[in-house]
Amino acid sequence: MRLSQFHLRTEKETPADAEVTSHKLMLKAGMLRKLGAGLYTWSPLGLRVLRKVEGIVREEMNAAGAIELLMPAVQPRELWEETGRWEKFGGQLLKMQDRKESWYCFGPTHEEVVTDFARSELASYKQLPVNFYQIQTKFRDEIRPRFGVMRAREFLMKDAYSFDIDEAGMAASYQTMHAAYTRIFTRLGLEFRSVQADSGAIGGDASQEFHVIADSGEDALVFSTGSEYAANVEAARAAAPAPRPAASETLRKVDTPTQKTCEDVAALLDIPLARTAKSIALMAGETFVLALVRGDHAVNAIKLAKVDGLGDYRMATEAEIAAHLGAAPGFLGPIGAAKPIRVVADLEVAALADFVVGANATGFHIAGVNWGRDLPEADVVADIRDVVAGDRAEDGGELKIARGIEVGHVFQLGRKYAEAMHFKVLDANGKATVPFMGCYGIGVSRIVAAAIEQNHDANGIVWPLAMAPWQVAVCVINPKNEAHVAEAADALYRELGAAGFETVLDDRGLRPGMMFGDIELIGIPHRVVVSARGLESGAFEYRARHASESENLDREALFSRLRG
């Protein structure tokens, strides 16, 4: 490719509406142009990178035995009503009507469509296992699209769906996809981790996320120093606490007239924050629930919602709090409630002795509280908190936290969608049975942004070799006035191409500073400069994108360096 015949338009200034590095650099490099909120046109340069990612994803999916198809982006309401997700999916589901006033949605995912396809195509266990995948545009109506293609409303996604006759087959398909994802991100040259995750709106029995490690990542990833254990913060677990010690203090009411937080109470009483318990008032249907976590911990909303009976909980109103506990927020606790309540205690709180809680009397707390003596054991004891760095891991190691950008997710769906859509096949005994499904997604367009967040410097993008729009840029100094230089650059360009290097020739005739600035900004891994001075000395000026200095190499040394 010759840049004089290619559309490349870079920007000098950082766009005002760009918030994260990838968004800034993709706009400055001319990879993206904004059309509307969360909607972007991919320029020829951006599309080259996107297709590189797509190509590797497709190759590895095919190698793993998945079969490509293409399903409609627009999906009829009736399918989503079969699974109950027409309402449950929420505001992210973009709904529309056609001229006959029939309802459709622009697909954010394709579980319903692929299950409908499978129930019309698959009739016997002999056709299983099978895994169908597609690479297609999705749409999710984000409330506040931001960060460029990192959280766009329209995006390119690879989604795959496996069908197996039994649970063991589903687990095997899941592991096959996990291995394929590992190869994909390895080939892309990215630092990544797979972590245990919550299944969220997709549902299912087990799931893992793949995250590109980056300081700017939205997600907190928890990993252990003692093993390969890793999970996102929504699913991470610490080791169980030590057994509860014996009570050693007497129960007493303490005056805390202005101390409404655990931090203030602990400071007033001169005790560790970990000896206080904070009370979160909830309503689960008609039941008033008090969730307790240690004062130095935070409630994990995902874990809390998994407690039996709390799937649709909400925060209690001040009126409901007053009616059940008789106190104002800031002084709440499980002792002396005005009405019956349900108490859900975190594992760490259930292991406390001589701790402090609100007294259910404005201006007071109770110290020296002990389970079994001063209040009944909690109705439910469960892991309902976020882990924190330094927690002991279940494997004996220490939990640490890093930041990551989710780029892939694999799910064991079980029979959820097949049962809802009455999909059955005949098993080996001729009996109709519901097959097991898996779901596997990769954010193809999001990978591009995540790679930039992980690989950039002050001058621009530093692409991993597999993702770069071109591997080598041949830069010509003064091609219009130095015909022999232009001829030598053209010869080198053709020779590099013949040797298998994907090469771009910058023959635009720009001043060296502007030309080099563009090549660094768009992240080409290797730059070779052809100039009159270099030709006189029999050398080319070579610089790797990550290097701080250039070096002069003859033709043989140059090709050796590029191959190395």
Side-chain angles (χ1 to χ4, degrees), residues 359-383:
N360 287 327
T362 300
F364 294 92
H365 281 73
I366 300 177
V369 176
N370 285 274
W371 296 102
R373 186 192 73 179
D374 307 312
L375 75 167
E377 298 291 345
D379 297 297
V380 177
V381 175
D383 174 20

Side-chain angles (χ1 to χ4, degrees), residues 148-432:
V149 297
M150 193 84 74
R151 193 166 290 282
R153 294 195 294 168
E154 183 179 282
F155 54 94
L156 189 65
M157 179 179 178
K158 187 285 301 176
D159 49 323
Y161 307 90
S162 63
F163 298 87
D164 287 273
I165 194 64
D166 54 28
E167 193 168 5
M170 175 184 67
S173 294
Y174 180 87
Q175 291 304 321
T176 296
M177 285 295 97
H178 189 281
Y181 276 34
T182 299
R183 291 193 298 272
I184 286 168
F185 294 116
T186 300
R187 283 186 60 187
L188 289 171
L190 299 172
E191 181 187 355
F192 69 96
R193 291 197 78 130
S194 76
V195 302
Q196 295 178 17
D198 179 72
S199 296
I202 302 299
D205 303 321
S207 71
Q208 287 174 281
E209 294 171 349
F210 285 77
H211 286 258
V212 169
I213 304 302
D215 291 339
S216 59
E218 289 185 279
D219 297 306
L221 309 181
V222 180
F223 61 94
S224 172
T225 60
S227 70
E228 292 299 311
Y229 173 78
N232 68 17
V233 74
E234 295 174 343
R237 294 179 60 91
R244 182 195 302 164
S248 62
E249 295 183 4
T250 57
L251 189 71
R252 61 197 184 279
K253 194 173 184 179
V254 293
D255 189 8
T256 54
T258 61
Q259 287 75 25
K260 295 184 177 182
T261 68
C262 289
E263 289 81 2
D264 290 343
V265 171
L268 177 70
L269 302 180
D270 193 25
I271 61 173
L273 185 57
R275 280 186 54 197
T276 66
K278 66 178 71 170
S279 302
I280 297 91
L282 314 168
M283 291 300 298
E286 298 300 317
T287 303
F288 187 93
V289 179
L290 206 61
L292 303 179
V293 294
R294 258 177 26 187
D296 58 337
H297 290 158
V299 168
N300 183 308
I302 300 295
K303 292 180 180 179
L304 189 60
K306 290 185 175 182
V307 172
D308 186 35
L310 295 188
D312 295 317
Y313 78 84
R314 61 172 175 82
M315 303 303 293
T317 65
E318 289 197 17
E320 289 167 334
I321 292 171
H324 286 84
L325 300 179
F331 304 97
L332 309 181
I335 298 176
K339 292 183 178 181
I341 64 173
R342 185 185 185 205
V343 176
V344 176
D346 180 65
L347 295 170
E348 295 284 347
V349 173
L352 287 179
D354 303 326
F355 60 101
V356 178
V357 296
N360 287 327
T362 300
F364 294 92
H365 281 73
I366 300 177
V369 176
N370 285 274
W371 296 102
R373 186 192 73 179
D374 307 312
L375 75 167
E377 298 291 345
D379 297 297
V380 177
V381 175
D383 174 20
I384 60 170
R385 70 165 177 108
D386 286 336
V387 301
V388 295
D391 276 340
R392 186 168 56 90
E394 292 179 333
D395 57 32
E398 181 183 343
L399 292 181
K400 294 185 176 295
I401 298 179
R403 306 301 299 182
I405 300 167
E406 184 188 345
V407 290
H409 207 153
V410 292
F411 301 86
Q412 290 185 32
L413 295 176
R415 289 169 157 171
K416 174 182 176 179
Y417 292 91
E419 283 182 341
M421 299 183 70
H422 307 291
F423 169 35
K424 294 183 178 182
V425 296
L426 296 180
D427 64 15
N429 298 316
K431 182 180 178 181

